[in-house]
Amino acid sequence: MSTIASHSLPQRNYDHPNRSLIFDATVLKHQSNIPSQFIWPDNDRPNPNPLELDVPLVDLRGFLSGDPSASERASRLITEACRKHGFFLVVNHGVDADLIDDAHHYMNRFFEQPLHEKQRALRKQGEHCGYASSFTGRFSSNLPWKETLSFQYSPEKASSHIVENYFRTKLGENFAHLGRIYQEYCRAMSNLSLGIMEILGMSLGVRREHFRNFFEENESIMRLNYYPPCQRPDQTLGTGPHCDPTSLTILHQDTVAGLQVFVDDQWRSIRPNPEAFVVNIGDTFMALSNGRYKSCLHRAVVNSESPRKSLAFFLCPKKEKVVAAAA
């Protein structure tokens, strides 16, 4: 549950401008209203019945088995989607279903802890990784109704246990198993993203291995998103409108709807599909494509009944790489 509590003042004074805010859903769920810091302007509030976005379903089975015609078909579908809005779904992607299930299951192990336990991994100011309960330390209005845990991943040999070590260092030996699960999950996401980069190379008319080689030594970010139920989902957002600054995002949603994309001047939803990953182009790849492919505004909404969880892998190039449009 999410709540805003004060460190030193009575809990009822939520709107005091100088208070330090804490988002703890287990406290906020007992209140009839939500604190004003989480209330978004009327023009940003969610539509209760958005239209569904027509997102192509790209079957990767043929591509992964080396079938040229299937690869060409996947390339055409991705080209069309990336020119319109940058979002598509991939199925038959080769990622083990049990691994995906475990990655979702073990999110509960972390997010269901008391707040003070989760704060052992608290994100420090200026850093990209760690635990964040909303953005209460960074902003004072339009706060998102969510909690996240972010950590780095690199496929390099020297970083072969980077995720496992992060969980062990921040949360203790009891969480080492979670670290191993997410290490394996990140490895699968990195491999999947490199395959998608091959298809993107084909679709943009460059060498098939061009983008794969560029991202082979990636320095990426994995984020676990947890959106608690909210008693006033019509007034707030789980994540505000944004474009991803990274290159490629691979998202797995649970069965609870919430992802929306801004297309043709309106917000449209992407229905959860447990067998598919949602893939979208980020700002960095938009630059690599010389603006031919879109990095599109998207957001997450919440509901009053069920928590929503998602797994987001943000593919990023190695820091020394120079980002320039392909010739």
Side-chain angles (χ1 to χ4, degrees):
M1 158 193 142
S2 303
T3 188
I4 286 189
S6 166
H7 288 299
S8 57
L9 298 179
Q11 269 186 302
R12 64 179 178 274
N13 295 328
Y14 285 112
D15 296 333
H16 192 290
N18 298 319
R19 301 246 328 279
S20 176
L21 304 178
I22 299 173
F23 181 70
D24 185 347
T26 58
V27 176
L28 287 181
K29 71 181 180 184
H30 298 295
Q31 302 173 14
S32 56
N33 294 308
I34 62 175
S36 62
Q37 293 89 343
F38 291 89
I39 298 176
W40 285 66
D42 290 346
N43 59 340
D44 283 325
R45 294 185 190 179
N47 176 351
N49 298 298
L51 295 174
E52 194 168 314
L53 182 63
D54 182 19
V55 188
L57 194 66
V58 182
D59 190 334
L60 295 184
R61 189 192 306 276
F63 165 76
L64 293 173
S65 65
D67 181 338
S69 61
S71 300
E72 184 59 37
R73 188 161 52 249
S75 174
R76 285 198 303 270
L77 286 171
I78 288 175
T79 299
E80 183 180 355
C82 290
R83 286 177 174 167
K84 285 182 179 176
H85 46 62
F87 277 77
F88 54 94
L89 305 181
V90 296
V91 293
N92 294 320
H93 37 66
V95 180
D96 188 283
D98 290 339
L99 177 60
I100 298 171
D101 288 345
D102 283 347
H104 277 284
H105 172 74
Y106 284 107
M107 285 179 69
N108 296 334
R109 171 89 184 277
F110 176 78
F111 286 111
E112 289 176 358
Q113 296 182 103
L115 181 61
H116 71 275
E117 294 288 347
K118 290 180 284 192
Q119 287 180 328
R120 288 186 294 169
L122 191 65
R123 183 195 297 186
K124 295 175 182 169
Q125 196 157 5
E127 294 185 354
H128 296 296
C129 295
Y131 169 72
S133 55
S134 188
F135 293 136
T136 54
R138 296 169 58 193
F139 305 106
S140 59
S141 63
N142 294 349
L143 292 176
W145 196 268
K146 70 173 179 180
E147 302 174 51
T148 62
L149 179 66
S150 307
F151 42 92
Q152 291 181 311
Y153 171 77
S154 170
E156 292 190 21
K157 287 184 179 178
S159 301
S160 59
H161 297 285
I162 185 172
V163 178
E164 184 178 346
N165 291 340
Y166 176 83
F167 274 79
R168 180 181 284 112
T169 301
K170 293 291 185 179
L171 298 167
E173 284 297 328
N174 289 340
F175 285 84
H177 179 63
L178 274 72
R180 288 190 289 272
I181 293 291
Y182 291 117
Q183 181 82 43
E184 186 179 350
Y185 185 85
C186 287
R187 185 179 299 114
M189 292 301 98
S190 181
N191 290 336
L192 175 59
S193 67
L194 295 179
I196 293 170
M197 281 296 164
E198 286 191 43
I199 303 176
L200 287 168
M202 295 168 57
S203 73
L204 285 166
V206 299
R207 290 179 296 110
R208 176 169 169 159
E209 67 272 16
H210 178 84
F211 294 120
R212 182 187 181 98
N213 291 346
F214 187 81
F215 287 100
E216 204 128 35
E217 295 180 328
N218 60 82
E219 295 179 357
S220 298
I221 299 290
M222 181 73 208
R223 179 166 298 156
L224 315 181
N225 296 307
Y226 179 75
Y227 303 92
C230 177
Q231 60 271 46
R232 295 304 305 267
D234 58 316
Q235 293 184 341
T236 192
L237 292 171
T239 301
H242 67 286
C243 296
D244 294 340
T246 49
S247 301
L248 192 76
T249 303
I250 302 181
L251 181 82
H252 196 275
Q253 306 186 80
D254 64 6
T255 57
V256 181
L259 176 61
Q260 297 184 350
V261 183
F262 195 66
V263 179
D264 297 330
D265 294 323
Q266 61 182 309
W267 289 103
R268 301 198 174 206
S269 66
I270 295 183
R271 182 190 305 176
N273 179 345
E275 295 183 355
F277 287 101
V278 182
V279 182
N280 69 275
I281 299 298
D283 294 345
T284 304
F285 195 84
M286 185 174 174
L288 286 169
S289 75
N290 204 20
R292 292 162 65 186
Y293 287 177
K294 299 274 195 287
S295 174
C296 203
L297 273 178
H298 52 287
R299 68 182 186 182
V301 301
V302 293
N303 70 84
S304 59
E305 303 296 328
S306 305
R308 177 176 176 263
K309 295 177 294 182
S310 66
L311 300 153
F313 181 82
F314 300 100
L315 180 70
C316 308
K318 201 169 182 179
K319 290 183 177 67
E320 305 88 82
K321 293 282 189 179
V322 176
V323 175

